[in-house]
Amino acid sequence: MTDQSERVAAVTREVEEGPPPSDRSIKEIIEALRPQLQELVSKQMELTKAELAPSGRRAGLSIGLLLTGAAFMLLFTIFICFTVVYAISLALPLWLSFLIVSVILLVLGAILAGAGAASLRKVDPVPRRSIRALRQNIDWVKGQLKR
């Protein structure tokens, strides 16, 4: 029993006291870790780029759709406005014809802009895996410096 008690006491002392201090200076430790840190940063950048690429493509597509919708809306507005205003002005005053056409165009524009905005809201720009990996890497470096 005493042998086991002595072991428990020894382990308890080691845990309480922490690891023995290193004879190496911080500069030596950093020099030893430099190649690993450089590779780690390089891999972290590759991971971040790979993770952000799909979100960037989706955001670009969404913005492209939004702009294309706006361009078609403008062309539609130019070509159809005069036709519709002319047709309505046959039965109503000209000012009321323009007002009716303007309200219709406003509703169409709002629908297209809403669809583009809803598509943009679905894009997640946060590189979650990269952040998690970076935190793990920081913890690893802290562990290396404690040795």
Side-chain angles (χ1 to χ4, degrees):
M1 274 300 202
T2 34
D3 188 38
Q4 199 172 26
S5 299
E6 289 174 13
R7 283 187 197 164
V8 170
V11 169
T12 304
R13 271 193 311 276
E14 285 179 24
V15 169
E16 289 173 353
E17 293 172 3
S22 175
D23 293 338
R24 298 189 300 176
S25 68
I26 291 178
K27 182 180 178 184
E28 290 172 335
I29 293 171
I30 291 175
E31 289 295 324
L33 291 175
R34 181 176 293 179
Q36 294 170 347
L37 290 173
Q38 288 173 341
E39 183 180 351
L40 185 61
V41 169
S42 174
K43 296 292 182 183
Q44 188 70 44
M45 293 301 295
E46 288 177 26
L47 175 63
T48 303
K49 286 178 187 177
E51 191 173 358
L52 288 177
S55 293
R57 281 192 290 271
R58 271 185 266 142
L61 179 62
S62 298
I63 290 171
L65 288 172
L66 184 62
L67 292 176
T68 302
F72 276 106
M73 193 169 84
L74 179 63
L75 289 173
F76 173 78
T77 302
I78 292 169
F79 286 109
I80 203 73
C81 274
F82 290 110
T83 305
V84 173
V85 168
Y86 176 75
I88 295 174
S89 71
L90 295 175
L92 299 172
L94 188 59
W95 68 269
L96 187 57
S97 302
F98 273 107
L99 180 63
I100 291 169
V101 170
S102 297
V103 169
I104 291 170
L105 292 174
L106 177 67
V107 169
L108 288 173
I111 290 170
L112 287 172
S119 179
L120 274 175
R121 277 189 217 105
K122 293 177 183 176
V123 174
D124 183 17
V126 179
R128 298 183 193 289
R129 289 190 333 225
S130 297
I131 291 170
R132 186 173 52 247
L134 183 59
R135 286 182 182 147
Q136 289 172 347
N137 295 338
I138 289 170
D139 291 341
W140 176 82
V141 169
K142 285 179 183 178
Q144 295 297 313
L145 290 174
K146 288 181 182 178
R147 290 185 190 179

